Structures are given as structure tokens and as C-alpha cells.
Amino acid sequence: MAAVEADTEARELLEALVAIPSPTGEERAAAERLVAFFEEHGREAWLDEVGNVRAPADDSVLLTSHVDTVPGDIPVRVEREPRNGSDGGGTAAETDEAYEPPVLWGRGSVDATGPLAAMAVAAVRTGVSFAGVVGEEVDSRGARYLVEDREAPDAVVNGEPSGWDGVTLGYRGILSGTYVATSESGHTSRPEPNAIQNALGWWSRVEEQFDHDPYEQTFEQVTAKPVRVEGGTSEDGLSVEATLDVQLRVPPSLSVETVRERADGELEDGHVNWHDAVPPVMVSPRSEVARRFRVAIRNAGGEPRLLRKTGTSDMNLFAAWDVPMATYGPGDSDLDHAPDERLSLPELDRATAVLTEVATEL
């Protein structure tokens, strides 16, 4: 593959943003840095009521990614490792050939500050709309507010790591809830099930209901996971209590309502407070947005990969606008939330070029 010219502006913005801690709920400093970036380029930008960065312009396409990251302190640095068998010596050109491409380490470099920085640079170069949203890693409050607060753009590109030559067209939905049960306290020698057994029994039946088929793609199945459990005798000693937080990932072939009904159908004791339901999304690979990405990736020297992801993203919420869309961004998604999160800077360069071409054509 041909070498790509270093995009100094994108690299500098990325490093500046990654150096600002921005875990969910603490995005303001990073968001203000993004506002300053747009103002430096003569664009109007501000923080809205929930803390989103808003830089509206040409609404033929909205480039949007999330500002927040998961917690974790990874020292921010750029490293270049010597290639196998090289000591890194020689002339400047030889030295450059002797090292692997530069890599930026830091929390958020992949998820999703890399896509965020590439989109911000592409937006100022092309004059299209931009939004940096908050809270994606917890409750997507920024995306929810954005959908309610503004009119639909003509198209949406959501920012998440797909690799510079990959385009994500589908995500599973998510259903989250908390099972709660209470039973009378009694001696453990008694045969009657207590609240803890009721909770475990319900979840066992739910797992059987959505048993994983190893011969079917995970994207097409429901994945049921418990994420937190508490239980024991109450403080007054009169009852046994149990709570179980659960998540079910929902494929496009099912609705969250159907999955909820099937889970509720396994209840024998206790009840479930369902508190989050995000529908799955799957868009056409023949849409104008997907087509533009395929062309731009080929023009940058790559072979496009069309992806479906088993998690959930803000793209699921943007589907409410009912406009052409896709998710795109530099980075290896296997490094999301990882202790060794890092992004190859040449990949950032290529992704910024691809986004700039897509925004221009749209």
C-alpha cells in the first residue's frame, strides 16, 4: 500500500484531546477544546444544555462521535518501534524505514477520540455539520438530546472505530433491567426457595430461552448477560432480598419488545424493572452513504470491509431520523476500553482523508 502523507492537523488535535481526561460525566474540558478548534477555523460552535459540542453548518451530512471515554489512565505518548532486525540507525530516510509507523497511546485514542478528531478536521475542511456528544459509554444522553433537539440532517456518519477501510452498517440493540425479589427469612435447612434462588432460577430460564447457537452468527442472536448481583438477609433480619442487573443484546431480526416479553414470560417470582431499551439497527449497503465510503476507501488504496457489530452505539438512536447513515472511524475495535489502547497515526491520516472525501461528495 502506498504511503500516506502525515496529517499534522489531525494528529495534533487527537493528541491534545487524548491528553485531556474525559470519562463519562467529565467531558467538559475536552468539549471546550473542540469548541476552540472550530472557532480557530472560523466556525460557530458551542456547548448545548447537556454538554454536547454543536457546530452546525451544511446539513447534507452530520459528522458525529462521542467525547466521553471509559475510565482508565494510559500515559499519553507517541512511540515508534524498530522493525525486526533493525537497530534504527542510518540516514534519515533509512531510519524512517527502520521503524514501524508512529502509534499514539492513550485512553480514548481508539474509542472514540480517534474518530472524533478525524471528523472534526473533516468537518472544518468541508463545511459540513458536526456534533460531539456526551455520555455514550453510559446512557447516550448526548445522542438522545441531539435527536430531540434538532431537525434531521440529510445523512449521518457516526464515529466509532471500524478500521480506516471498514464501514459499520449494523448494531444489535440492548435491553437492560433489574430483577428484584423478596422472600421471608427462614432457616437455611428449609426447602422453600428464597429470593436469591428465585433470582438465579429466573436468570437460568432466560439463558435457556436465548441459548447460544454456535452454528449461527452472534450478530443474529440474543446475548443475555448478568452484570451485577446483590443478595442476602435484610438489615432487620425479617426477609431475604435479591437484585440482579441484566443486559440482553437484541439482533435486528427481533424487537426489544419481543425479547422483553420472552424474558418476562420466565418470571415465577419477583419482578423486573426494565429501564433501557435501544432498538437494533441495520442499514442498506446500497445506500448513498455506504457507496461513498466504498469509493473513498478504494481511492485511498484500501479494499472496503462492510461490518456488523454485536454491541450497541449511538447509531441505533440516530436511526430515529430515518436518513441514510453509517458508522466509521480509525482504530482497532479490539482495543476499545483495553489497557493497551492505541492508534496508528497513519491510520488516522487515511481515515481523515476518507471522511473528507465522503463529506465533500455527500
Side-chain angles (χ1 to χ4, degrees), residues 4-303:
V4 60
E5 184 176 345
D7 192 321
T8 303
E9 185 173 40
R11 293 184 180 194
E12 289 179 350
L13 178 61
L14 174 62
E15 187 167 0
L17 290 172
V18 171
I20 303 172
S22 57
T24 306
E26 302 175 25
E27 303 100 329
R28 188 174 185 87
E32 289 176 342
R33 178 64 182 85
L34 268 176
V35 169
F37 174 78
F38 279 91
E39 290 176 341
E40 290 162 5
H41 288 80
R43 285 277 295 271
E44 182 182 13
W46 68 90
L47 301 185
D48 66 19
E49 291 183 13
V50 299
N52 293 330
V53 178
R54 305 284 285 271
D58 184 342
D59 248 4
S60 56
V61 61
L62 170 67
L63 303 182
T64 176
S65 186
H66 61 93
V67 181
D68 64 314
T69 70
V70 296
D73 182 17
I74 301 174
V76 180
R77 62 199 188 275
V78 176
E79 292 184 350
R80 297 193 69 178
E81 296 291 337
R83 296 186 189 275
N84 290 339
S86 171
D87 61 4
T91 65
E94 290 170 341
T95 299
D96 190 64
E97 288 295 321
Y99 282 87
E100 297 290 344
V103 173
L104 175 69
W105 291 68
R107 174 59 79 220
S109 55
V110 172
D111 185 18
T113 312
L116 181 76
M119 287 185 164
V121 172
V124 300
R125 290 176 181 171
T126 61
V128 302
S129 292
F130 172 89
V133 297
V134 297
E136 190 272 348
E137 297 289 1
V138 174
D139 56 10
S140 291
R141 70 183 186 281
R144 295 177 191 275
Y145 183 81
L146 195 68
V147 170
E148 295 175 357
D149 190 59
R150 58 157 289 162
E151 294 183 356
D154 295 335
V156 176
V157 178
N158 180 53
E160 291 283 355
S162 59
W164 79 269
D165 57 351
V167 184
T168 303
L169 301 180
Y171 285 93
R172 291 192 296 179
I174 188 171
L175 176 65
S176 300
T178 301
Y179 172 94
V180 180
T182 303
S183 62
E184 290 184 356
S185 60
H187 198 280
T188 55
S189 64
R190 293 171 56 181
E192 296 84 8
N194 63 21
I196 297 172
Q197 290 172 293
N198 290 335
L200 296 176
W202 171 71
W203 188 245
S204 178
R205 293 188 295 275
V206 170
E207 289 182 320
E208 290 179 5
Q209 174 73 231
F210 300 112
D211 189 32
H212 181 77
D213 184 349
Y215 298 104
E216 186 175 8
Q217 292 184 341
T218 299
F219 182 81
E220 301 293 349
Q221 302 185 64
V222 174
T223 299
K225 290 288 183 182
V227 294
R228 185 169 179 267
V229 61
E230 289 186 353
T233 304
S234 61
E235 290 185 4
D236 61 13
L238 300 179
S239 63
V240 175
E241 301 170 340
T243 60
L244 177 64
D245 293 338
V246 302
Q247 293 182 349
L248 297 98
R249 299 287 176 165
V250 182
S253 59
L254 296 173
S255 67
V256 289
E257 291 78 11
T258 297
V259 172
R260 181 171 56 232
E261 290 173 0
R262 289 170 63 178
D264 282 341
E266 300 299 337
L267 285 170
E268 295 179 359
D269 297 276
H271 66 280
V272 183
N273 299 317
W274 298 108
H275 46 74
D276 192 18
V278 178
V281 60
M282 187 70 210
V283 301
S284 171
R286 295 181 292 277
S287 74
E288 183 66 6
V289 174
R291 187 180 75 82
R292 293 295 183 186
F293 268 110
R294 290 198 298 272
V295 172
I297 290 169
R298 290 192 179 102
N299 288 343
E303 184 58 36

